[in-house]
Amino acid sequence: MTLRKGEKTTISIQEHMAIDVCPGPIKPIKQISDYFPRFPRGLPAAVGRSGTLRPAVSQPSVGPTEPPREDDEDVDRLFGAYGTTPAPPPPKCPPTEEAVDPEGYESDDCTALGTLDFSLLYDQENNALHCTINKAKGLKPMDHNGLADPYVKLHLLPGASKANKLRTKTLRNTLNPTWNETLTYYGITDEDMIRKTLRISVCDEDKFRHNEFIGETRIPLKKLKPNQTKNFSICLEKQLPIDKTEDKSLEERGRILISLKYSSQKQGLLVGIIRCAHLAAMDANGYSDPYEFCYEIKHGDLAKKTLEVTVWDYDIGKSNDFIGGVVLGINAKGERLKHWFDCLKNKDKKIERWHTLTNELPGAVLSD
């Protein structure tokens, strides 16, 4: 509708009635300042984690029942009351990446160091522990070409030494090696299976520098059941500390299989050195030649005696080197004591036992 100059606007009766019957009181329009808190002088604005300013409140909803806020509200109410939608509680929020520490996160180590597949079998009848190293996947690159020259080495803890170290062959230029190689520890007793831990390390061979450590895992032998193969697929870990309080005098120097028999016919004790394994110095085939001694002694006197067995490395033209020793008798403990008493109880019966050689001379034990 267009109006001429000087003509007044007229309102129809219908429009007039529509205005009069509009329900509810007329509400004032909120100003933009009503949507922001009024901070006391000197109070800084809220700062986000990123260092930028962020609004402390969200836009309030306008409702007919909302009471007007006064200017003299305290600071706590200003921060909490101006957001109509309160912040969700922390448990309901999705986890953030900043809460994860990459340095201590195990899956990161697993991804960076790789995994190792192997199996273990304890042959109780033959006192042997068979360790089959199958393969590794996703090893950490160690060489300039982005690859590695990996091999696996084994130690028995406690008492780790070069004598009880076994290792696989080295595979060149690969991060996913397949060995399918079985390494065997001989002379493993039930006592060893209770207290020993097998340390399996993956290393990178370097021709010009020291070999580099990639990762390791440790398996307590008590987890194995006799004569049952157990398969493992484990993420490699960073190098774990070795207990420095371990008695150095008990460092293992190899294993020796000894037979004891009291012969009623010869009236003496027959001592047989059947086999040695994992010696610090031994024959190329890993075995020693059997040898037997005979000591003439009455059976009743054996309960008071002690048998010392020492192993030496014979050198031509210079003094022999001591490899290790073991003591059997009333002053011994564990398997060594049990072996001695089994011999006394069973005349004319040969009893064989594996024993661990240590780097301590038996005479030092007896002198204490």
Side-chain angles (χ1 to χ4, degrees):
M1 181 181 66
T2 59
L3 297 177
R4 296 179 181 179
K5 186 177 181 180
E7 185 177 0
K8 295 182 179 180
T9 303
T10 58
I11 300 175
S12 64
I13 185 65
Q14 291 83 357
E15 293 174 339
H16 180 72
M17 292 299 295
I19 294 174
D20 288 343
V21 299
C22 182
I26 298 175
K27 297 181 180 180
I29 300 175
K30 281 186 170 290
Q31 298 179 2
I32 192 171
S33 60
D34 293 331
Y35 292 92
F36 296 90
R38 297 169 184 170
F39 299 103
R41 182 173 296 177
L43 182 66
V47 180
R49 291 184 180 180
S50 61
T52 58
L53 294 176
R54 58 178 174 83
V57 296
S58 59
Q59 180 176 342
S61 61
V62 179
T65 59
E66 182 179 358
R69 297 183 176 87
E70 299 181 0
D71 296 337
D72 57 351
E73 290 176 326
D74 60 79
V75 175
D76 292 336
R77 291 185 59 190
L78 284 172
F79 275 104
Y82 275 95
T84 57
T85 56
K92 296 182 180 180
C93 295
T96 58
E97 294 183 358
E98 62 184 8
V100 179
D101 181 14
E103 293 295 329
Y105 195 44
E106 290 186 0
S107 62
D108 287 345
D109 289 342
C110 178
T111 303
L113 302 179
T115 60
L116 182 66
D117 294 352
F118 61 96
S119 64
L120 301 177
L121 169 63
Y122 172 48
D123 184 353
Q124 189 176 33
E125 182 179 357
N126 297 310
N127 296 102
L129 176 64
H130 302 287
C131 312
T132 301
I133 308 300
N134 297 320
K135 61 183 179 179
K137 295 182 292 185
L139 294 180
K140 178 182 177 182
M142 304 298 292
D143 298 336
H144 296 297
N145 59 2
L147 300 173
D149 302 322
Y151 67 92
V152 177
K153 64 179 181 179
L154 310 179
H155 284 102
L156 285 175
L157 304 176
S161 66
K162 292 183 179 180
N164 67 22
K165 181 185 77 172
L166 301 177
R167 61 161 289 174
T168 66
K169 59 186 177 182
T170 300
L171 300 181
R172 303 291 177 184
N173 298 323
T174 178
L175 299 180
N176 301 286
T178 299
W179 290 280
N180 289 331
E181 190 172 342
T182 299
L183 307 175
T184 301
Y185 280 106
Y186 296 100
I188 301 297
T189 64
D190 292 340
E191 184 180 3
D192 292 325
M193 297 300 295
I194 295 174
R195 66 184 186 91
K196 290 286 187 179
T197 295
L198 179 65
R199 179 190 182 192
I200 306 177
S201 306
V202 181
C203 301
D204 172 63
E205 185 176 294
D206 198 317
K207 293 183 178 179
F208 305 102
R209 297 179 299 175
H210 293 293
N211 296 344
E212 296 180 289
F213 175 85
I214 297 178
E216 72 169 40
T217 185
R218 298 186 185 185
I219 306 296
L221 297 184
K222 61 184 178 181
K223 290 186 176 182
L224 305 180
K225 295 181 179 179
N227 306 315
Q228 294 185 17
T229 301
K230 187 168 184 178
N231 297 312
F232 297 86
S233 182
I234 297 181
C235 292
L236 296 174
E237 302 178 77
K238 296 177 181 178
Q239 192 164 14
L240 302 174
I242 297 178
D243 187 7
K244 295 183 179 180
T245 61
E246 181 183 332
D247 189 357
K248 297 295 183 180
S249 65
L250 298 181
E251 177 186 342
E252 293 186 6
R253 308 301 299 271
R255 303 285 172 125
I256 185 170
L257 180 58
I258 301 175
S259 68
L260 297 179
K261 174 185 175 181
Y262 185 81
S263 174
S264 301
Q265 181 181 1
K266 295 184 179 182
Q267 291 292 308
L269 176 66
L270 301 179
V271 179
I273 307 301
I274 301 174
R275 178 179 176 184
C276 289
H278 313 298
L279 297 180
M282 57 184 175
D283 295 338
N285 59 5
Y287 300 96
S288 60
D289 299 327
Y291 200 85
E292 188 173 78
F293 305 89
C294 181
Y295 297 96
E296 294 184 2
I297 187 174
K298 294 181 179 179
H299 182 268
D301 294 337
L302 284 177
K304 305 175 184 178
K305 298 296 181 178
T306 297
L307 175 66
E308 302 176 11
V309 179
T310 58
V311 181
W312 298 77
D313 180 28
Y314 175 73
D315 289 326
I316 300 177
K318 54 182 180 180
S319 60
N320 299 332
D321 297 323
F322 172 73
I323 295 178
V326 63
V327 176
L328 306 179
I330 57 174
N331 295 327
K333 297 179 180 179
E335 288 291 328
R336 295 169 295 165
L337 179 62
K338 186 175 183 299
H339 192 187
W340 189 254
F341 277 120
D342 286 345
C343 173
L344 298 182
K345 294 178 183 177
N346 300 277
K347 288 184 179 181
D348 300 312
K349 181 180 180 181
K350 180 184 290 187
I351 300 175
E352 299 179 358
R353 292 283 192 280
W354 279 97
H355 299 286
T356 300
L357 298 171
T358 65
N359 64 337
E360 188 172 36
L361 283 169
V365 178
L366 299 177
S367 61
D368 291 343

